[in-house]
Amino acid sequence: MINTFEEDITLDNFHLLSKSTKKIIFDKHMYIIEKLAASMTSEKRFAHSKSVANVCKDLAKRWGVDENKAYLAGILHDITKSFTLDEHLNYLNYYDKTKVNEVEPILHSYSAKYFIKERRRKNK
């Protein structure tokens, strides 16, 4: 069986790509939408994330800041929403213990930052 380019790229081997290839992938949001859709717990949550991403992009355009970064922030803002309490606390205990006593419904807003940072660091 011949694999397509998309099938060959995973988080495990993303670091092997050149910087210019990674930039193209991120600038065009390649794979992010598909991977995020697959990881979301519901279509409603995914639709919400896409809507937030579009609002972020519109605001960025209005204020003259990087639309690509704004879109990515919007699409990824709920990436840890489906984490268990223990998963959130694992991230927060490691990265920012000041947030472990926050109310559970907002823990994802803190753990997402560290989850994304970890993935980004692994893929450089």
Side-chain angles (χ1 to χ4, degrees), residues 35-52:
K35 297 275 187 197
L36 191 60
S39 71
M40 287 282 178
T41 55
S42 72
E43 286 185 34
K44 184 177 176 183
R45 171 73 48 210
F46 181 60
H48 162 74
S49 291
K50 286 196 307 186
S51 177
V52 170

Side-chain angles (χ1 to χ4, degrees), residues 17-44:
L17 298 173
S18 70
K19 279 189 173 186
S20 60
T21 301
K22 288 179 191 178
K23 181 171 177 13
I24 291 167
I25 288 170
F26 282 119
D27 287 350
K28 299 203 177 285
H29 309 131
M30 296 168 71
Y31 312 111
I32 291 173
I33 302 299
E34 293 81 5
K35 297 275 187 197
L36 191 60
S39 71
M40 287 282 178
T41 55
S42 72
E43 286 185 34
K44 184 177 176 183

Side-chain angles (χ1 to χ4, degrees), residues 86-123:
D86 284 342
E87 288 172 312
H88 290 300
L89 294 178
N90 284 339
Y91 276 97
L92 298 177
N93 277 316
Y94 186 79
Y95 290 104
D96 187 356
K97 291 182 186 212
T98 66
K99 304 294 188 222
V100 297
N101 293 320
E102 294 287 345
V103 293
E104 188 172 350
I106 66 165
L107 290 178
H108 74 284
S109 65
Y110 302 113
S111 63
K113 172 184 174 180
Y114 303 114
F115 176 81
I116 293 165
K117 268 185 150 179
E118 271 188 9
R119 295 302 176 279
R120 190 165 182 232
R121 192 175 320 118
K122 287 179 183 178
N123 291 317

Side-chain angles (χ1 to χ4, degrees), residues 58 84 97:
D58 290 345
T84 65
K97 291 182 186 212

